[in-house]
């Protein structure tokens, strides 16, 4: 069984995220999403999520490509996650290009093109226009 992992906030969930998850799953049979906790988002990314961790986890678990959701609580957990979950391929959007190459010692590292036209920031801007 080929195991894939990816990380993110996934708030507000949109089709750009789905595109990423769908492509990530193509690298194996089992996809784990390490979902940023509310604390990690606020303390490390200064992101205040609209949906709580539990709500975002529930949404991700409903996606056919996702097999397991685990918490992302620190920047440093990736190496231990890759070992603990016997990961074959680490996948991220290419906005992170090169940032996680240190994992190449432990698994394949793939950066996939983002879906360019959509982002949570854009959604919020458009909604605020009324
Ligand atoms: N993404 C995408 N296209 C978009 C928006 C996002 O492909 N239009 C991808 C991102 O590249 C990322 C994933 O969807 O791989 C999740 O995006 P975010 O929730 O914004 O993730 P981020 O806040 O960048 O957190 O340790 C890594 C971090 O947790 C990543």
């Amino acid at each position: 069984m080929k195991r894939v992992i990816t990380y993110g906030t996934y708030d507000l969930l949109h089709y750009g995220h789905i595109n990423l998850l769908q492509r990530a799953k193509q690298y194996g049979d089992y996809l784990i999403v390490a979902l940023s906790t509310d604390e990690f988002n606020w303390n490390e990314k200064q992101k205040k999520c609209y949906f709580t961790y539990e709500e975002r986890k529930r949404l991700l678990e409903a996606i056919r490509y996702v097999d397991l959701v685990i918490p992302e609580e620190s920047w440093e957990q990736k190496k231990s996650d890759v070992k603990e979950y016997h990961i074959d391929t680490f996948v991220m959007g290419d906005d992170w290009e090169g940032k996680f190459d240190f994992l190449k010692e432990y698994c394949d590292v793939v950066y996939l093109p983002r879906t360019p036209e959509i982002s949570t920031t854009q959604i919020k801007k458009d909604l605020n226009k009324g």
Side-chain angles (χ1 to χ4, degrees):
M1 175 188 286
K2 297 280 281 181
R3 301 162 72 84
V4 185
I5 196 166
T6 190
Y7 292 70
T9 301
Y10 289 94
D11 180 70
L12 295 165
L13 188 64
H14 55 66
Y15 69 85
H17 296 132
I18 303 300
N19 287 346
L20 189 285
L21 295 170
Q22 180 178 22
R23 286 174 293 158
K25 185 57 175 285
Q26 290 169 354
Y27 283 85
D29 317 282
Y30 191 87
L31 174 61
I32 300 174
V33 179
L35 181 63
S36 310
T37 61
D38 298 332
E39 298 75 18
F40 180 67
N41 271 309
W42 183 244
N43 297 331
E44 298 299 326
K45 301 189 212 174
Q46 290 70 51
K47 280 187 177 181
K48 178 140 179 43
C49 291
Y50 182 80
F51 290 123
T52 65
Y53 173 80
E54 286 307 320
E55 290 162 343
R56 290 181 286 121
K57 180 172 186 282
R58 176 136 168 66
L59 284 164
L60 282 175
E61 286 172 340
I63 298 170
R64 70 173 67 182
Y65 311 115
V66 177
D67 297 288
L68 176 67
V69 179
I70 62 171
E72 178 185 29
E73 298 166 300
S74 78
W75 293 111
E76 292 74 33
Q77 71 182 73
K78 292 181 176 67
K79 183 174 147 187
S80 55
D81 288 347
V82 166
K83 290 182 179 177
E84 181 181 347
Y85 292 96
H86 310 292
I87 299 300
D88 299 287
T89 307
F90 169 95
V91 176
M92 283 303 290
D94 62 4
D95 46 320
W96 292 92
E97 182 82 36
K99 296 287 191 308
F100 303 117
D101 288 356
F102 66 89
L103 290 170
K104 285 180 176 175
E105 197 177 331
Y106 310 103
C107 63
D108 295 337
V109 174
V110 174
Y111 302 102
L112 297 173
R114 281 170 64 92
T115 304
E117 75 278 5
I118 187 161
S119 68
T120 302
T121 309
Q122 190 59 52
I123 292 169
K124 289 176 181 173
K125 275 184 192 160
D126 291 350
L127 288 174
N128 285 333
K129 283 179 200 156

